[in-house]
Every structure is written in C-alpha cells, then in structure tokens.
Amino acid sequence: MSADDASAADAPGDSAPGDSAPDDSPHILSEQARGAGSAEGTDDEVGEDDGGEFRAFWADVVADEIEARDPDEPIVIKGGVSPSGVAHLGNFNEIIRGYFVAAVLRERGREVRQVFTSDDKDPLRKLPRKLANADGEIVGLGEVDAGALGRNLGKPYTAIPDPFGERESYAAHFAALLKTDADRLGIPVEMVSNTELYADGSFDDVTRTVLSDLDGVREVLSQYQDKVDGEYVPFNPVCAECGKITETVTGVDVDAETVEYVCTDMDVGDETIEGCGHEGTATFREGKLPWRLEWPGQWDVLGVDFEPFGKDHAEGSWPSGVDVARNVLGVEPPVPMVYEWFTLNGEPLSSSAGNIVTVPELLELLEPAVLRYFFALHPKKSRDLDIERLDQLVDRFDRFERAYFGEVDDEDLTAFAERAYPFVVGRADDPPEEKPVRLPYTFAAVLGMVDDPDFRERLARDEGHIPDDASDEVVEAALARVEKARSWAERTANEYDYRLQTELPDVDFDADVAAALDDLADFVAAGHDGDAIQSEMYETARAHDVEVSDFFAAGYRLFFDDTQGPRLGEFLGELERDYVVARLRREE
C-alpha cells in the first residue's frame, strides 16, 4: 500500500559513472545473504537468508521467503493506492516491485496473480491541484470540470464523475491510467476495485467478523490510533441521502448485516466536509471498513501472499495490520517488503508541490528497460531520480547490460546482471543472446541536434557506434534512443538543446576570424579529439588577435546559426570530421 506524495526526506543520489563502487553492485540483500545468520526474521523485514545462500537479485530472496510458506496457487502479489490525484511514478512503486517477484516465481513454474487494489470507496477529502488526462499528461483543474470534484467532496471516488468525461467515475479514470502504465512496461497486473469487492459481497465475512467483536477490535485498534473509545464502531456507511461517507454509527445488527447511522461532519485538516444529518440504515455492502481494518481485510479476501509497501507504513500501519490479521481476522499476514522512497530531482515526490513525474513522461525520455532497471536496483536503498542527470542512469543501465554479456570486469555487477537482466528487459522466458546496439545517451542527444535521419546514421557509424554489418532493424532500434535523448534535452533545456544546421548558414566574417576558422579546420583535419579542439579554439583566437567570445560566436553561427550552444570544441569532436572541416572552411 503506497503513501501519496511521500518520499524520503534525505535520499542521496546514485553514484556517478566511474565511481569505485557503483550503487548497483553488490546490493544490500546480497551482502546480507553473504553474511547470513544475523536476522531474527521479523515481520517487517525481508532480506536475510537463513540458509546463507548468496542471492544476486533481491527478488529471489523475496521469492524464497514466499515459497518457504508453501502457499497455495495462484500465489497472490498485491499492491494498492488511493486514487487521490495524478497517477505518478511514486504510485507505480508497488506494481513494478511486485512484478519482479512475480516474474521470478513464474520462472520457477509457479502460477501467480498480481493484483493492484484501488481504495476507491475512500472519500475524496480535498481537491487535487493537478490531474492527468487519459494520455498521462498533467493538467490543471482549470482544464477540466473541476466542479465535478468540488461538488462531491466526502463521497467515494467511484461515486464521483470523471472530470474528463471519459470514464464511468473519477476512480475508474485513475485506475485506467495505472493499468495503461503497467501495459506500457509489459507488466500483467489485474486492477481490483474496493468498491466492487464490497458490492459483490467479498467483504461480507470480514465485515461481519469485525462488527461481531467490537470490544476485541477496539482493544486492538486502541494501541495504534487515538479516539478509540467504548462507543467507537469501525464501519463507515455511505449516506443514502447525500452520498457522503459518514463515521457515525449508532447501532449494529450483525444478523441482519446492517448498521444504523447519522450523517455527520467530516473533519479534514482545518476544513470540514458537512454531513447532511440524515439518519438511516445501511447494509454491510453500503459502507466500508476504516483503512486499518480494510488493508488486512484485503489480505483475507484476496488471499494475499506478498505485498511491498513504503517505509511510511512499516512503523504504524504494518504492525496494526499484522495484529488485526492474526487477532481479529484469524489469518496470517503476507510476506512483506518495505521499500525506500525515491526522491525526484533531489526533493520528495509531492503532487501538491508539483514535484512529480509520470510513467508516460519518463518513457518519452528513456526506454522501458531503463525504467525497469531503476526499480530492479535494491529497494531498501534510497536513491534520487534526477531528470537533469538522466544520462547517468542510462549509462549505468548500459553498463549493467554490458555486464550481462560479459563485457564488464566486476564480479558482483556481473552476477546481478546475469540474474536480473532478463527480467529487466522482459524476456525471462527467452533471454537475449545478442547485445543490442546502444548509442551512448549523450551522443544520442548530440544526434538529436540533427533533423536529418540519414545524417544521424552517418554520424553514428562514423563514431563507431553502429557496426558496418548492422541490419536496418538494428539501426532503427539504435537510433530510436535519439528522439528520447532529444526530448530530454528539450525538457531540461540543457547543453544539447540546440539544432545543428545541415546547410551552411548565410555568414560573412572579418578576415581575421575567417583565417582563424581555416586554421582550426586544419587542426580538426589532423585528427584531434574534442577536448583538444576546445583548447585549440582559445589558442587559435589569440594567435589571430580575435576576441575568444567572438571566435566561439562565429563557430556557433556556422553550426547552429546562433550565438551560443554547447561546449563547441567537444561537440565538434563528436561529429563527422570531414563535415566539421568543410563547415569551418565555409564550404557547402
């Protein structure tokens, strides 16, 4: 069960390429398994391997623990979320982490059902600041029927119209976004609506058990939450008059499976959602359990064997869920896995602050396998997803991929890659035999400055990034990264966010500038690299008594028809030499 807008307050970023200890090697769980024997096997910790067997991939450790319980099949893996705002990457945590465990179990021949519950019978307590449309694009409330939300505060999400007018409810819209994201990443997940579980009677037995022993439930809950007194009834009916959730139950008839209620006000922070005062009767299917009971109730109803959740739930929600499961419902809780939140651009994920990113947004910038790789890294280590430095994440993925194909001298990374890579690329049943051709991400960003596809291919071949015998299919797949890197440059407005002029701009330079450009052309023709070209530009400008800024401006004009751009010498070193020489000499 994920927490909305929650993230680590202090999460260091990943190691940069070249660091002596990349953060994807050797992994925390692997180290624990190597040490072996230190674990006591607590309910809220997964990772120690009692047998001491080394596991290169954390999902194997979790799968071992699930199988140790000898579960019935299908093995059920669950995640969940309350549909309260934009379906961002933080909401996707449990789907993708559950996917790796599910994939490992399926590889072992197990039948697995991966479900994701939408807590859509919860009431809408406040207006979200932003929403996402059917394509995952973030929009403000001014672009939708915000009144559809504002008029329905206090009502279940499934009773609120879709502000986009496309789905049967706001909850259905939100669930469809998450399901589409899962499809984009090739994750077979079944979306489950809490509202439907209540409506079809799946929660009847759980609700009856809870309301049959109010004293026992109160005793358990009082250890974890305030305001549990002798009058507290853990059931929230939906008012038949106004449709809002109310927390005031005045009587319970377990045999009739009904409760008496009064529709009272609901306090939400400093705000109050007014009840209508209606007094009525609701069946067990016309209301819901509070979340401390509903979460373990889902474990019982769905037969959950494993559930990952954020660390915010580890200290309060999980212990109370375990207590309720065992001492109220009489079932065992699932195998847990507490994961660390990740930060975005160094700050906590926050819908209200606008610090979020969606799966579709990220897939415009990188391949699905790179995003899956990010979540394949150890879940108990906090890390930062920095969009400005996305090239470093892609570089680490490329290194991980090379390790799988035996091209990296790192024993731990290679062990991790050999185990995890087939799952990361979605081919556990048919592991790749040939390494894909990958353009370095920043080089792809350089090519993104060029609009001509043929010129892009020629530059990539000239730099040795595409083999001479590469098929058209291989070339197309390799060059697909260019548009993603170009989108990254545009999103971050970084040094690659320029457009290379394929034709010579209409320029006219003073004689001293022209002579300096000719000398630089000779230097480039001699075969020097980008760093040397960058240094030589300063020397050449001084030798011709040209202001350095004027000389660089001339170069930018030649290549970008602009007065500024990336570090010019280094950029020229990435381009086809003959092209650079001809352009510096002002030749068509």
Side-chain angles (χ1 to χ4, degrees):
M1 177 175 291
S2 60
D4 291 342
D5 302 337
S7 191
D10 184 15
D14 293 336
S15 308
D19 286 356
S20 59
D23 74 346
D24 53 6
S25 173
H27 294 286
I28 299 170
L29 278 184
S30 300
E31 291 175 339
Q32 289 175 337
R34 279 176 167 166
S38 61
E40 295 296 328
T42 59
D43 283 321
D44 61 349
E45 291 186 1
V46 173
E48 341 295 334
D49 189 354
D50 293 337
E53 181 181 358
F54 173 72
R55 291 297 197 183
F57 186 27
W58 58 266
D60 276 310
V61 179
V62 179
D64 289 346
E65 190 157 347
I66 294 170
E67 289 193 312
R69 296 190 177 189
D70 192 23
D72 294 332
E73 296 191 32
I75 296 173
V76 178
I77 292 175
K78 191 185 92 68
V81 70
S82 179
S84 57
V86 174
H88 56 73
L89 191 62
N91 301 135
F92 204 69
N93 255 314
E94 291 159 36
I95 291 179
I96 197 164
R97 297 188 194 281
Y99 154 77
F100 285 115
V101 178
V104 165
L105 288 168
R106 289 188 179 109
E107 182 204 39
R108 298 181 183 184
R110 294 286 196 161
E111 182 184 353
V112 180
R113 180 188 180 202
Q114 185 178 357
V115 301
F116 195 75
T117 55
S118 175
D119 298 338
D120 51 20
K121 204 163 188 179
D122 290 358
L124 174 65
R125 296 176 179 273
K126 62 180 180 179
L127 290 180
R129 295 193 179 184
K130 294 185 181 296
L131 297 170
N133 63 23
D135 295 323
E137 299 168 338
I138 298 175
V139 300
L141 291 184
E143 300 179 54
V144 300
D145 180 9
L149 298 175
R151 290 188 298 271
N152 290 284
L153 289 174
K155 295 182 181 180
Y157 289 105
T158 42
I160 299 171
D162 177 9
F164 294 92
E166 298 172 350
R167 297 276 178 174
E168 59 269 28
S169 69
Y170 174 73
H173 172 84
F174 187 93
L177 291 178
L178 286 172
K179 180 62 171 68
T180 301
D181 287 346
D183 292 343
R184 288 185 174 105
L185 290 170
I187 298 175
V189 64
E190 176 187 345
M191 302 301 295
V192 175
S193 163
N194 255 7
T195 298
E196 292 178 6
L197 290 179
Y198 281 103
D200 66 16
S202 296
F203 259 105
D204 284 356
D205 288 345
V206 170
T207 305
R208 186 184 305 107
T209 298
V210 168
L211 297 183
S212 296
D213 183 17
L214 290 177
D215 288 338
V217 171
R218 289 164 183 158
E219 182 179 355
V220 170
L221 291 183
S222 64
Q223 302 174 62
Y224 305 99
Q225 68 183 62
D226 298 331
K227 300 180 181 179
V228 176
D229 55 24
E231 303 299 318
Y232 177 72
V233 178
F235 190 76
N236 304 142
V238 177
C239 177
E241 186 70 23
C242 68
K244 296 177 183 178
I245 293 283
T246 182
E247 299 172 345
T248 305
V249 174
T250 57
V252 177
D253 187 334
V254 174
D255 293 333
E257 297 189 346
T258 61
V259 299
E260 305 295 322
Y261 68 87
V262 178
C263 185
T264 54
D265 296 347
M266 179 189 300
D267 293 328
V268 181
D270 296 332
E271 303 295 326
T272 298
I273 298 174
E274 293 184 357
C276 69
H278 174 70
E279 298 181 19
T281 302
T283 69
F284 288 178
R285 300 184 184 187
E286 295 170 334
K288 67 181 298 295
L289 296 169
W291 68 271
R292 283 192 188 274
L293 294 165
E294 190 173 74
W295 189 22
Q298 291 172 341
W299 301 340
D300 188 9
V301 169
L302 298 171
V304 180
D305 297 295
F306 166 65
E307 180 160 7
F309 47 87
K311 67 177 185 179
D312 55 325
H313 288 292
E315 295 180 359
S317 311
W318 172 251
S320 72
V322 170
D323 204 345
V324 168
R326 289 176 175 161
N327 298 312
V328 175
L329 303 180
V331 299
E332 275 300 300
V335 171
M337 184 186 77
V338 181
Y339 60 78
E340 270 283 353
W341 299 313
F342 65 88
T343 51
L344 178 65
N345 305 324
E347 298 292 335
L349 285 167
S350 172
S351 295
S352 60
N355 193 45
I356 54 176
V357 66
T358 66
V359 169
E361 284 180 317
L362 278 176
L363 293 183
E364 290 180 357
L365 312 180
L366 42 74
E367 297 95 334
V370 180
L371 184 53
R372 287 195 292 264
Y373 162 77
F374 178 78
F375 286 98
L377 299 175
H378 197 278
K380 285 193 175 182
K381 178 172 182 179
S382 59
R383 59 190 80 246
D384 184 48
L385 181 64
D386 190 339
I387 304 300
E388 296 275 351
R389 301 168 60 193
L390 208 58
D391 56 312
Q392 295 187 12
L393 173 62
V394 180
D395 287 347
R396 283 191 292 276
F397 166 79
D398 289 350
R399 184 172 183 264
F400 163 78
E401 185 171 64
R402 291 195 303 273
Y404 175 77
F405 289 96
E407 299 178 4
V408 176
D409 185 17
D410 183 324
E411 179 183 355
D412 291 311
L413 175 59
T414 299
F416 169 54
E418 287 177 347
R419 182 62 185 136
Y421 179 76
F423 300 107
V424 166
V425 297
R427 293 183 57 183
D429 295 334
D430 180 29
E433 296 182 0
E434 295 185 9
K435 181 169 68 71
V437 173
R438 303 283 190 191
L439 303 181
Y441 195 69
T442 51
F443 179 75
V446 169
L447 296 189
M449 301 183 192
V450 180
D451 290 320
D452 184 352
D454 293 335
F455 191 34
R456 288 178 178 178
E457 181 179 343
R458 196 167 80 239
L459 292 175
R461 287 185 181 276
D462 182 67
E463 289 297 313
H465 294 307
I466 295 180
D468 293 338
D469 60 352
S471 66
D472 292 343
E473 183 180 8
V474 168
V475 172
E476 182 180 0
L479 292 177
R481 181 173 277 186
V482 174
E483 285 303 318
K484 295 185 181 296
R486 179 169 178 160
S487 297
W488 169 64
E490 291 172 345
R491 181 184 175 108
T492 59
N494 64 21
E495 59 184 307
Y496 303 100
D497 189 21
Y498 296 93
R499 295 291 169 263
L500 184 67
Q501 301 298 302
T502 54
E503 297 183 2
L504 179 67
D506 184 13
V507 292
D508 184 19
F509 299 120
D510 293 340
D512 50 355
V513 173
L517 289 170
D518 290 336
D519 282 357
L520 183 62
D522 293 340
F523 185 82
V524 173
H528 297 285
D529 64 16
D531 288 337
I533 296 171
Q534 181 76 10
S535 298
E536 182 64 19
M537 290 190 70
Y538 290 90
E539 298 300 324
T540 302
R542 296 187 186 101
H544 288 269
D545 199 24
V546 173
E547 289 288 339
V548 171
S549 58
D550 291 341
F551 189 45
F552 273 89
Y556 287 129
R557 183 63 67 190
L558 278 175
F559 289 92
F560 300 103
D561 198 18
D562 202 340
T563 57
Q564 60 183 3
R567 287 176 60 84
L568 189 57
E570 295 176 8
F571 172 72
L572 299 183
E574 297 277 8
L575 300 180
E576 186 181 41
R577 187 178 305 150
D578 291 344
Y579 164 78
V580 173
V581 170
R583 182 57 58 90
L584 289 172
R585 289 174 177 163
R586 284 86 66 210
E587 299 171 353
E588 289 288 355

